[in-house]
Amino acid sequence: MALAYGGFTVNQDLKGLIPNQDIDLRYLLYHMQADEHKVLATCMKSGTTVESINFGALQNFVIKLPPLPEQRAIAQRLDQLLASEARAAACVTAAQTELRRLRAAILARAFSGERKEVLLWP
């Protein structure tokens, strides 16, 4: 799922939603992402060789729609929380990379002949 601003083209395997009322598009995106399993359970076409969505069923999918100012506030808060999550994920990835580098350095030093003894326990 993604947002597209302005004109865009899709093929037969993609679906584009254009709301017919005032709705914050980020709120709609987050809501659809949160309800992805419900959307798939409700709108998945059966009997096809490629998984796809029944667009008629998707058009009839009901979502909770608070007033527009509340939608905007929810979307803004989710933007902030997901940005924090992305920063945390980047820190975890950097730490994992550093741990792999440290492990490789420890192993290289252990078998390079620099030390005659390697302590296995402190």
Side-chain angles (χ1 to χ4, degrees), residues 52-115:
S52 61
I53 298 291
N54 178 318
F55 194 62
L58 183 60
Q59 286 176 309
N60 293 321
F61 190 80
V62 177
I63 65 168
K64 297 174 186 173
L65 198 58
L68 190 56
E70 189 175 341
Q71 293 174 39
R72 289 183 178 137
I74 291 168
Q76 182 177 14
R77 185 64 179 136
L78 287 170
D79 286 343
Q80 293 166 348
L81 291 169
L82 292 173
S84 293
E85 182 272 338
R87 285 190 301 274
C91 288
V92 168
T93 299
Q96 289 172 329
T97 299
E98 182 61 19
L99 287 170
R100 282 191 296 274
R101 188 201 62 74
L102 180 59
R103 176 184 169 86
I106 289 169
L107 291 172
R109 185 166 180 199
F111 294 101
S112 69
E114 288 182 40
R115 291 186 61 166

Side-chain angles (χ1 to χ4, degrees), residues 3 5 17-32 63-69 71-72 75:
L3 289 179
Y5 296 95
L17 300 177
I18 302 172
N20 60 4
Q21 57 190 15
D22 284 338
I23 186 168
D24 185 280
L25 294 179
R26 293 178 352 248
Y27 175 86
L28 177 61
L29 175 68
Y30 290 141
H31 200 301
M32 296 300 286
I63 65 168
K64 297 174 186 173
L65 198 58
L68 190 56
Q71 293 174 39
R72 289 183 178 137

